[in-house]
Structures are given as C-alpha cells and as structure tokens.
Amino acid sequence: MTASDLAYVPFVDVEEMMHLVLDIGLETCLADLTAYIEEDFRRWPLFDKTPRVASHSRDGVIELMPTSDGREYAFKYVNGHPANMKKGLQTVTAFGLLADVESGYPVLLSEMTILTALRTGATSALATRILARPGSQTLAMIGNGAQSEFQALALKTVCGVTALRLFDTDPEATRKCMANLADSGLAVTICNSAEEAVQGADIVTTCTADKQIATVLHDNMIGAGVHINAIGGDCPGKTELQSDILNRADVFVEYPPQTRIEGEIQQMAPDFPVTELWEVLSGAAEGRRDSRQITLFDGVGFAIEDFSALRWLRDQVVRLDRGQRLDMIADPDDPRDLFGMIERERHRRAAA
C-alpha cells in the first residue's frame, strides 16, 4: 500500500452503518461483536487503560475514550445529554477512529452512535453469558429507551433469553420497544412497575437515562440467583441500585478506576471489593459459584469495547469492500514540503 493510498481513510457514515447491519444481520452483528470483545478482554493486560476524559456541564457530559494494544490505537468521542430527547435529539451520539500505531495514520473513521448501541448490547451479553445461571431465559428490562432493543436481542442471541419483561416510567418508550421487537421471537410482557417486571426474571438489566442518584431497584426486589446488568451508570452522581443490593451481590466491573467514579460502586467505600470481568474470562478469578449467588455487572462502558467494535467494523469494511474513502491526510510528493503542496495548488488554480 502506497502513501497515497493511506491518505484516503475508509469512512462509515450512518446510512452505510445501517446498511451493513441489515446486510450482515443484526443478531449476527451482535454475536460477532461479542466474540471480538471477548477476544480483546482475554488480552486485557496488553492495552493502555485510562478512565475516559470527561467534560461535565449542567446539561450533560462530553467524553473521549482512548486505548491502544500497541499495534492499533482507537478513540471514541461520545456525549450524554438526557434532556436532548425533549428537543428531538439523541441522548447519546458518538463517532470514533481506528489508527495504525506504526505510522500513526488513521485506518477507519466511523459513526459510533449505532455502533456503540451494538457494542453495549454485546458487552452485556458477554457478562451475562459468563455470570448468569445456566438456563436463564427471562430478562427484565428496566428502562426501555434507545438501548433496550439492542440489549434484549444481544441476550437472546448470545445467552438464549426467550422472554422479556418491560418497564419504563414513560409508557410510550415501552410501547416503542415492544413494537420494535414484535418479530424478534421474544415473548414480550409489558409491566406496570419495576417490581412487577423483575418477578420471575433470571436476569435484570437497568438502563435508564436520568443523570441523578436514583433507586430503580430496591433490595427486596432481587431474589437469590439473579444476575443484574446495571448499565445506566456512566457519570458521577448517577446510580440506579439501592446500595444494599451491592452488599449482597458479587460485583464485576470493566475497569475499576473508571467504575468507582461512574458506576454503581461510586456509592460504596473506595475499597469495596470488585472483580474485573477480564479476570473471570482468563481464569484468574472466579465468576458464578452457585445457583443462589447474586451477580452484578456494573457496566459503564470502557474504551477497549469501542476498540473491539472499531476493529470488527474495519474487518467488515475490508471483507465486504464497503464505506467511502475520505481524503483526510495531506500527501505531498515530498513529505518535507507541505508548503510546496499548497503553492502547487495555487499555481494549478491560477492556470485553470
């Protein structure tokens, strides 16, 4: 590949992302992403790791999420603005970049609003597969917004969930979710409260948007053996679970320095015990011990998951010859003569 070839960076816009997902198949995408994330979690020690760089405001947060495995580098720009929905805007938007470490040249630029939704569902599916009781089939979904369908389909595809119990404080969100999943093969039940939704559930996923200290789940709602995916937390000052649940559960996280700032465990003492998910996958730590154990995945989203998602997308773009090519990198004939490149363009325009 020549330097001129590298100057043109593959780009996946929103329309192309939708077409890729539909052509590959949504559930296939979720299963494949789960596998890519698991592969990268299994080589976790190779990655640069840092809590996301956050700029908080009264209205929300804007964050950068960087990481590298030494061969490739990735970052994601992402925001979280809960009031956006009232303005007809997305609560979460994102884009990201994958680059070659040796040259520093980008190899992929992509929208990541859709891709983040896919990778978040896939990460929950990975955690659920290794932590939930074998044979778990019923999922309670508390919070039925933009992420809910991806969560449900990921757990259906990867974990064998067959029944879904829905609750949201906004009935329109629940009706939206049920309509979107009408042909999914899931048996969907609309519930009138979170208490009703968790009845008989093997798995409980909380995914609410309000950035505040809230109690979506109370301790008396969680019975023995349940697995919880608490994925709504993504910033300081936002929680969904009563702290008594954390004291009863074994808590599993992505990256403790970030989760202690943003996750459910921000409620707890700085030395509150947690297990990192990659340690369970590598065999360095124990996951589920028995059928009565309560397991809790305190998922806030971490940069390595976005790295995995961008790596998966790059492979699909290459395999299927998809995406646009953006002229993003200045490419003078002599790398030392960037000024001359501008001058030659001046002369070309004058002669035209």
Side-chain angles (χ1 to χ4, degrees):
M1 184 176 290
T2 68
S4 294
D5 292 329
L6 293 173
Y8 289 86
V9 179
F11 171 59
V12 177
D13 64 13
V14 172
E15 182 178 24
E16 182 67 10
M17 181 67 75
M18 291 190 294
H19 289 172
L20 273 168
V21 170
L22 292 172
D23 291 346
I24 295 169
L26 177 57
E27 293 187 25
T28 299
C29 292
L30 289 164
D32 289 350
L33 276 165
T34 303
Y36 271 68
I37 293 168
E38 178 175 358
E39 182 180 335
D40 287 337
F41 270 49
R42 287 183 181 275
R43 56 195 192 101
W44 189 269
L46 297 178
F47 284 88
D48 293 336
K49 292 173 284 290
T50 183
R52 51 187 151 210
V53 182
S55 175
H56 294 278
S57 69
R58 179 186 61 188
D59 301 308
V61 62
I62 295 173
E63 301 168 326
L64 291 178
M65 301 173 66
T67 191
S68 174
D69 67 350
R71 294 177 311 202
E72 294 177 307
Y73 169 91
F75 79 84
K76 183 174 77 174
Y77 167 101
V78 62
N79 77 298
H81 285 68
N84 274 2
M85 187 179 63
K86 298 175 184 176
K87 307 172 190 175
L89 303 174
Q90 287 288 310
T91 300
V92 176
T93 67
F95 68 88
L97 183 141
L98 186 68
D100 173 60
V101 167
E102 183 179 3
S103 67
Y105 273 49
V107 298
L108 178 69
L109 176 66
S110 178
E111 82 81 39
M112 287 194 73
T113 306
I114 294 171
L115 189 58
T116 295
L118 290 165
R119 76 86 163 135
T120 304
T123 303
S124 292
L126 176 61
T128 302
R129 197 193 74 210
I130 64 176
L131 296 175
R133 289 178 298 191
S136 294
Q137 293 186 320
T138 301
L139 166 66
M141 176 68 64
I142 314 300
N144 303 156
Q147 177 60 211
S148 57
E149 296 91 345
F150 297 95
Q151 289 286 318
L153 289 174
L155 268 63
K156 169 182 178 283
T157 303
V158 176
C159 307
V161 162
T162 59
L164 177 63
R165 299 174 64 80
L166 298 176
F167 173 71
D168 195 294
T169 55
D170 178 3
E172 285 299 318
T174 301
R175 284 191 283 269
K176 175 271 303 179
C177 184
M178 185 172 189
N180 285 341
L181 295 175
D183 298 322
S184 67
L186 290 165
V188 181
T189 302
I190 293 180
C191 301
N192 294 315
S193 65
E195 290 86 349
E196 181 184 347
V198 302
Q199 291 176 14
D202 304 297
I203 306 156
V204 178
T205 295
T206 58
C207 186
T208 60
D210 283 349
K211 294 191 180 299
Q212 61 181 350
I213 301 293
T215 306
V216 177
L217 291 182
H218 292 268
D219 185 43
N220 62 4
M221 295 164 61
I222 302 300
V226 169
H227 171 68
I228 304 168
N229 294 312
I231 64 166
D234 56 9
C235 69
K238 180 186 178 186
T239 59
E240 298 177 312
L241 273 57
Q242 189 178 43
S243 61
D244 290 345
I245 296 175
L246 280 74
N247 284 318
R248 291 173 58 209
D250 288 289
V251 179
F252 300 82
V253 304
E254 294 138 318
Y255 182 57
Q258 179 171 298
T259 310
R260 292 191 190 279
I261 296 170
E262 301 179 350
E264 293 299 321
I265 59 172
Q266 67 182 275
Q267 307 176 63
M268 314 305 284
D271 60 350
F272 180 79
V274 297
T275 301
E276 295 183 54
L277 202 59
W278 75 270
E279 295 177 304
V280 179
L281 285 164
S282 69
E286 191 174 39
R288 175 168 288 275
R289 297 185 303 273
D290 57 64
S291 61
R292 294 189 59 79
Q293 178 188 9
I294 298 171
T295 53
L296 167 60
F297 173 51
D298 190 359
V300 298
F302 190 61
I304 293 173
E305 296 150 23
D306 299 312
F307 179 99
S308 305
L310 286 164
R311 190 168 64 83
W312 169 83
L313 180 60
R314 186 268 317 278
D315 289 352
Q316 308 318 303
V317 167
V318 171
R319 178 175 69 90
L320 300 172
D321 191 24
R322 302 289 284 270
Q324 306 171 43
R325 297 296 184 270
L326 295 184
D327 186 5
M328 283 184 61
I329 306 298
D331 185 35
D333 296 332
D334 180 348
R336 299 166 298 180
D337 193 17
L338 194 61
F339 187 88
M341 182 180 178
I342 299 171
E343 285 300 296
R344 285 187 290 278
E345 179 62 15
R346 182 203 303 273
H347 295 316
R348 186 196 68 78
R349 290 177 57 179

